[in-house]
Amino acid sequence: MRMRGEVMGYKREMEDEEEEKQMELVHSKKFIMVGYALTSKKVKSFLQPKLESLARTKGILFVAIDQNKPLSDQGPFDIVLHKLSGSKWRRILEEYRLTHPDVTVLDPPDAIQHVYNREYMLEDVADLNLSDTYGKVGAPRQLVIEGDSSSIPDAVSKSGLRLPLVAKPLAAKSHELSLAYDKFSLQMLEPPLVLQEFINHGGILFKVYIVGEAIKVVRRFSLPDVSKRELSKNPGVFRFPRVSCAAASADDADLDPCVGELPPQPLLERLAKELRRRLGLRLFNLDIIRELGTKDRYYVIDINYFPGYGKMPEYEHIFTDFLLSLVKQK
């Protein structure tokens, strides 16, 4: 036991020395201090060595926030970057924002909660109803189900939604989804959930990453189209894991130009600008599809806060430039 205590004490001394060295480095050079509170999974995917290395050369230092210590006692920070759940953490952040108005918090907790609930997630897209010479952007018709599953067929009939329907958990922290081909199989689903009309889109979706004013678009394989014949001959509910992961990249695939052509940049820029303002977020992405058989009819089917930027090409440069711009704006 004594030996173990000595080892633990030595380890703590080493950690303290490392922290002192880091602070000496900070004081010797004016770094932009970015405190981060992320899950271990997010740290691994986002804070990759190439990002931290580039950030250092640009005068940016990422510092882990210790959740066991008062946030106000840490730092000082120029920016706080976070993606943690729980009401306790939200309260801590809100209090910190009030007492540290000069620190940029990415992003406001209340704004994040709005897109974590699929009942409200796409409201701003639907209200915006964006339409210009480059195209039209809307949201699929949807229905929220919170009651007993046996009531779903009747609720769908009354709503006028057309089959097939995509079923997604109401809480947007889960990315699993199901595709229901017939009305009576809907009873197999487990509320609370949201039902969206499925729109054929050539099996391709556009993942639009937004980092402040920067926009990056990549293609991802999505759910395949459903014909009327398939709809009538395949009753049931089909479950899918995450469909738009990095392994499903379609950027190098040989696609029909009518399916694979990226949405017009001016349309995306206008959409991103409006949603940044309406949502109050600066770090998010949009899953967008183009209706099959159209050139300019787009639908936003999902919004994700602080998505997997590690999968976005050139994310290190885009993200560090964004952090620098935040400090310049102060």
Side-chain angles (χ1 to χ4, degrees):
M1 289 297 291
R2 184 183 174 190
M3 191 69 179
R4 186 183 175 200
E6 289 174 353
V7 170
M8 292 297 289
Y10 176 72
K11 184 180 178 183
R12 183 60 196 166
E13 283 178 19
M14 293 293 289
E15 288 174 351
D16 289 342
E17 284 181 18
E18 183 61 33
E19 192 173 324
E20 285 176 15
K21 286 179 183 177
Q22 193 175 55
M23 293 313 295
E24 284 174 11
L25 181 64
V26 170
H27 291 308
S28 64
K29 180 183 177 182
K30 178 55 180 171
F31 275 87
I32 295 170
M33 301 293 288
V34 180
Y36 66 88
L38 307 170
T39 63
S40 56
K41 182 180 177 182
K42 196 70 176 176
V43 169
K44 186 177 180 181
S45 66
F46 174 72
L47 276 179
Q48 297 178 23
K50 56 185 179 180
L51 172 65
E52 292 198 274
S53 176
L54 179 64
R56 274 182 179 273
T57 64
K58 292 185 176 184
I60 301 168
L61 197 64
F62 290 99
V63 180
I65 290 172
D66 188 339
Q67 295 176 57
N68 295 315
K69 296 179 182 178
L71 184 54
S72 296
D73 293 348
Q74 301 179 63
F77 301 123
D78 298 290
I79 298 166
V80 168
L81 192 62
H82 71 99
K83 193 176 183 181
L84 294 177
S85 58
S87 56
K88 181 181 177 182
W89 171 249
R90 289 202 302 275
R91 284 196 303 272
I92 290 171
L93 263 188
E94 288 294 2
E95 289 174 10
Y96 183 80
R97 290 180 71 209
L98 290 172
T99 55
H100 296 74
D102 55 326
V103 178
T104 302
V105 175
L106 296 171
D107 271 310
D110 287 347
I112 296 168
Q113 285 303 113
H114 184 77
V115 296
Y116 275 165
N117 188 324
R118 287 196 169 97
E119 180 175 0
Y120 312 111
M121 176 194 288
L122 302 178
E123 276 184 344
D124 289 296
V125 178
D127 292 344
L128 179 59
N129 196 26
L130 181 61
S131 181
D132 62 19
T133 55
Y134 294 101
K136 187 172 183 179
V137 183
R141 291 200 302 159
Q142 68 177 40
L143 175 67
V144 174
I145 303 291
E146 295 184 280
D148 186 72
S149 58
S150 62
S151 66
I152 300 178
D154 187 49
V156 168
S157 294
K158 289 178 179 177
S159 71
L161 291 185
R162 293 174 298 177
L163 293 163
L165 295 174
V166 180
K168 302 178 181 180
L170 196 57
K173 293 174 185 179
S174 171
H175 294 276
E176 292 185 1
L177 55 85
S178 302
L179 193 59
Y181 276 46
D182 72 291
K183 189 163 51 176
F184 297 103
S185 295
L186 292 169
Q187 298 176 77
M188 298 166 58
L189 299 172
E190 297 179 11
L193 53 82
V194 63
L195 297 174
Q196 286 180 353
E197 283 188 334
F198 179 76
I199 298 164
N200 282 333
H201 52 282
I204 295 293
L205 68 77
F206 306 102
K207 199 164 271 291
V208 182
Y209 291 96
I210 295 164
V211 183
E213 295 183 7
I215 299 171
K216 196 81 172 178
V217 189
V218 296
R219 300 177 188 87
R220 292 282 184 265
F221 285 114
S222 178
L223 297 178
D225 294 333
V226 179
S227 67
K228 289 183 179 179
R229 184 172 179 273
E230 288 174 313
L231 195 60
S232 62
K233 293 198 171 186
N234 296 292
V237 172
F238 303 87
R239 302 185 188 280
F240 296 87
R242 296 187 64 153
V243 294
S244 60
C245 60
S249 173
D251 279 333
D252 298 323
D254 185 16
L255 301 171
D256 182 332
C258 295
V259 172
E261 183 181 0
L262 297 177
Q265 188 71 12
L267 183 70
L268 294 179
E269 287 174 356
R270 186 179 167 196
L271 177 63
K273 182 180 180 181
E274 286 288 345
L275 290 180
R276 276 198 307 270
R277 181 179 63 83
R278 289 171 178 249
L279 296 173
L281 298 175
R282 283 173 282 192
L283 299 176
F284 61 102
N285 78 0
L286 309 171
D287 286 350
I288 296 180
I289 59 173
R290 179 194 292 114
E291 186 173 357
L292 189 68
T294 73
K295 291 183 178 180
D296 58 2
R297 187 70 177 95
Y298 300 94
Y299 293 88
V300 177
I301 58 173
D302 228 348
I303 300 176
N304 303 290
Y305 168 67
F306 202 153
Y309 286 118
K311 302 170 189 173
M312 181 179 79
E314 301 173 354
Y315 92 101
E316 320 89 63
H317 295 277
I318 293 172
F319 211 94
T320 49
D321 285 347
F322 166 62
L323 295 176
L324 289 173
S325 73
L326 291 178
V327 176
K328 288 177 182 177
Q329 290 169 13
K330 290 184 180 181

